[in-house]
């Protein structure tokens, strides 16, 4: 990682820590629409153990737990994960959830072929280089069992914030303190090589609105 990439990662980590600290439960208690979709995909695949990357304060992790899944939730913000654990205890699902502070630039803290499904809502489009994104998806593939599902969402190059704000390398733009890697479709296809690409669905979220793709891909049996 270059010096500028290290500095951007450091700044973004501090920004998220501050955001969760100053705005507990910032994204609310209701699950995201992609999480509701993912739960249906995971049930259809008979998944039981789910890994969520970039879980934040846990609205989607908590939903998966309430739906009967066992969930490992990771995030690089200890503040967000503490809020998740408190909510899990309050909702009576703490026994179904484990948490781990983790930076996705590092190998995932799981054994090979140890989970049934992986979910990541807007985690892959954080301030990660294309090389780091490829390495992360390779790690997801490593920890998934054969037939395992990966559902992720990313903002794409049709989004209003693409090429707006401060640029940080190829397709990474910072707006209002948040740095985003906007995905071209070619990157989605590259990440699905050696997988089965089941779906790329366009949707919108928030008031801007953010323009995203929801991607579902599966490890071949």
């Amino acid at each position: 990682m270059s010096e500028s990439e290290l500095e951007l990662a450091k700044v973004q980590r501090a920004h998220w820590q501050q955001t969760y600290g100053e705005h507990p439960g910032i994204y609310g208690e209701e699950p995201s629409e992609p999480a509701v979709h993912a739960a249906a995909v995971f049930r259809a695949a008979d998944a039981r153990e789910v890994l969520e990357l970039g879980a934040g304060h846990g609205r989607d992790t908590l939903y998966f737990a309430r739906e009967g899944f066992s969930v490992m939730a990771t995030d690089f913000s200890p503040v967000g994960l503490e809020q998740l654990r408190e909510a899990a205890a309050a909702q009576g699902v703490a026994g179904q959830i484990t948490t781990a502070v983790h930076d996705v630039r590092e190998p995932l803290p799981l054994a090979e072929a140890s989970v049934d499904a992986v979910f990541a809502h807007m985690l892959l489009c954080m301030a990660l280089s294309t090389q780091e994104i490829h390495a992360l998806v390779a790690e997801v593939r490593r920890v998934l069992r054969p037939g395992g599902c990966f559902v992720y969402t990313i903002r794409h190059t049709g989004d209003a914030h693409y090429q707006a704000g401060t640029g940080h390398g190829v397709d990474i733009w910072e707006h209002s303190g948040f740095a985003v890697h906007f995905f071209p479709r070619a990157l989605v296809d590259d990440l699905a090589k050696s997988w089965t690409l089941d779906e790329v669905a366009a949707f919108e979220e928030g008031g801007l609105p953010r323009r995203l793709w929801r991607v579902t891909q599966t490890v071949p049996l």
Side-chain angles (χ1 to χ4, degrees):
M1 188 186 296
S2 69
E3 186 175 336
S4 63
E5 288 172 338
L6 281 170
E7 181 60 25
L8 179 60
K10 179 181 177 181
V11 169
Q12 287 296 295
R13 182 192 295 267
H15 186 75
W16 280 104
Q17 282 283 85
Q18 181 180 357
T19 297
Y20 287 128
E22 294 180 354
H23 307 281
I26 185 173
Y27 296 112
E29 298 181 359
E30 293 300 312
S32 66
E33 290 184 11
V36 175
H37 170 84
V41 171
F42 298 162
R43 278 193 296 269
D46 293 325
R48 296 181 302 276
E49 297 171 340
V50 175
L51 167 66
E52 183 180 357
L53 304 174
H57 64 78
R59 60 173 178 157
D60 291 337
T61 293
L62 295 163
Y63 171 71
F64 290 138
R66 293 194 302 269
E67 289 293 302
F69 298 100
S70 296
V71 191
M72 170 177 269
T74 71
D75 200 278
F76 69 5
S77 170
V79 174
L81 291 178
E82 178 60 27
Q83 293 171 14
L84 189 164
R85 288 191 293 271
E86 291 174 358
Q91 295 181 25
V93 294
Q96 293 167 243
I97 295 172
T98 58
T99 64
V101 177
H102 178 256
D103 189 324
V104 293
R105 295 172 180 83
E106 302 297 327
L108 293 172
L110 289 168
E112 182 175 344
S114 59
V115 296
D116 301 318
V118 179
F119 178 73
H121 183 29
M122 287 202 286
L123 183 278
L124 272 69
C125 62
M126 294 297 174
L128 302 170
S129 69
T130 301
Q131 181 179 1
E132 289 168 337
I133 293 166
H134 274 279
L136 172 56
V137 172
E139 274 293 285
V140 170
R141 169 94 188 232
R142 180 184 67 81
V143 303
L144 273 173
R145 298 185 177 103
C149 305
F150 181 27
V151 176
Y152 71 90
T153 65
I154 68 289
R155 293 172 75 175
H156 58 69
T157 53
D159 187 276
H161 280 165
Y162 178 58
Q163 297 183 327
T166 303
H168 294 283
V170 178
D171 290 332
I172 298 176
W173 295 87
E174 181 183 341
H175 192 275
S176 300
F178 294 97
V180 176
H181 189 136
F182 294 90
F183 274 48
R185 176 55 197 260
L187 180 53
V188 173
D189 292 336
D190 283 346
L191 294 173
K193 289 179 179 176
S194 81
W195 297 69
T196 299
L197 182 58
D198 302 299
E199 181 188 46
V200 181
F203 72 103
E204 296 182 350
E205 184 178 88
L208 182 62
R210 302 181 191 93
R211 291 190 169 87
L212 302 101
W213 285 320
R214 185 189 68 226
V215 182
T216 304
Q217 55 193 55
T218 305
V219 178
L221 291 169

